[in-house]
Amino acid sequence: MNNFRVLGSSKVTSLLLIVNIIVFVIMTFTGGSENIANLVRFGAVVKSEVANGQWWRLFTASFIHIGLPHILFNMYFLYQVGPVFERLYGSRNYLIIYLLAGIMGNLVSFAFGNPATVSAGASTSLYGLFGLAIGILLNYRGDSMLSSFGSSFLSIIAINIIYSLIRPGIGVLGHLGGLLAGVILAGVFPIINRSLQTSTQLISVTAFVVLSILFVIIGLRSAV
């Protein structure tokens, strides 16, 4: 019951849950969420299509799930930890971080993924939240409470990365890209009632932009 009350005050997390579920239901009744053609039609990342100018797939793929277990796992995680990060960063910045992490995760899949692979899922954005935890640990080392919060995620992150590496069919590239984005974005957006050095923010913004451009260039070259 407490979780539902917290979720009720976390408007962005609630909205993200609703959007992901609605998209999954629509896909289920219009061809299936595991049908490749339907996944492509709804906006999954396909290397050749992105290279041909369909950049919007880097955004839409984060709201598409492949099969019921996929969406159940991701939405459970979002339900559990989304409100925590939304309270830490505020609804607006939390949404920006979530979306940017998803885009960078999908960019990494575009850059280094197999051209024959179709990738999708909110995991890119959710790993961005893992990355935020690492970023909090790095950027707020003098704050014992926040450092402890960041440290509490390290074992969870390690377990999930190992699971992603050993289980076939999981888009580990997108996960790592989202994780990287979260670490960087923790240096761009300060936690509510905390501050970041301007130099840290400038370096982080630059890193995010430069890496994004680099991934685009690599993806375009490898898609030929």
Side-chain angles (χ1 to χ4, degrees):
M1 185 64 70
N2 287 335
N3 281 351
F4 283 112
R5 281 200 293 268
V6 170
L7 187 62
S9 63
S10 305
K11 295 180 175 57
V12 169
T13 299
S14 298
L15 177 63
L16 291 171
L17 284 165
I18 291 169
V19 170
N20 277 281
I21 292 169
I22 288 175
V23 171
F24 183 80
V25 170
I26 293 173
M27 289 185 66
T28 299
F29 288 100
T30 57
S33 65
E34 298 182 71
N35 180 285
I36 299 298
N38 209 34
L39 286 165
V40 174
R41 182 161 69 97
F42 272 81
V45 171
V46 182
K47 196 159 188 164
S48 60
E49 299 294 349
V50 174
N52 287 330
Q54 296 183 12
W55 298 100
W56 47 269
R57 291 181 180 275
L58 300 174
F59 171 81
T60 55
S62 297
F63 294 91
I64 296 171
H65 290 86
I66 306 172
L68 184 60
H70 192 200
I71 189 171
L72 287 178
F73 180 83
N74 281 346
M75 292 304 98
Y76 176 75
F77 176 74
L78 178 60
Y79 166 73
Q80 287 292 330
V81 306
V84 177
F85 287 98
E86 186 169 351
R87 288 197 301 273
L88 283 174
Y89 284 92
S91 294
R92 184 191 65 180
N93 287 347
Y94 165 72
L95 177 60
I96 294 171
I97 292 167
Y98 183 95
L99 296 177
L100 288 178
I103 290 171
M104 179 168 275
N106 290 323
L107 263 178
V108 171
S109 293
F110 169 63
F112 303 106
N114 188 322
T117 300
V118 174
S119 59
S123 301
T124 50
S125 293
L126 297 176
Y127 268 76
L129 301 184
F130 282 149
L132 274 183
I134 296 175
I136 289 170
L137 180 61
L138 295 174
N139 289 303
Y140 301 95
R141 291 187 294 273
D143 188 314
S144 59
M145 184 177 70
L146 290 178
S147 294
S148 177
F149 171 80
S151 299
S152 68
F153 277 83
L154 293 179
S155 59
I156 300 173
I157 294 169
I159 291 170
N160 276 273
I161 290 176
I162 293 171
Y163 179 76
S164 297
L165 290 170
I166 63 175
R167 179 167 179 179
I170 291 182
V172 65
L173 289 172
H175 292 180
L176 295 177
L179 185 74
L180 174 64
V183 174
I184 295 172
L185 293 171
V188 177
F189 298 94
I191 288 174
I192 292 175
N193 297 325
R194 300 292 197 280
S195 61
L196 291 167
Q197 292 185 354
T198 302
S199 59
T200 298
Q201 292 179 299
L202 288 174
I203 291 170
S204 299
V205 169
T206 302
F208 190 91
V209 172
V210 170
L211 284 173
S212 296
I213 294 171
L214 180 63
F215 294 147
V216 168
I217 293 171
I218 294 172
L220 289 173
R221 287 181 177 177
S222 59
V224 175

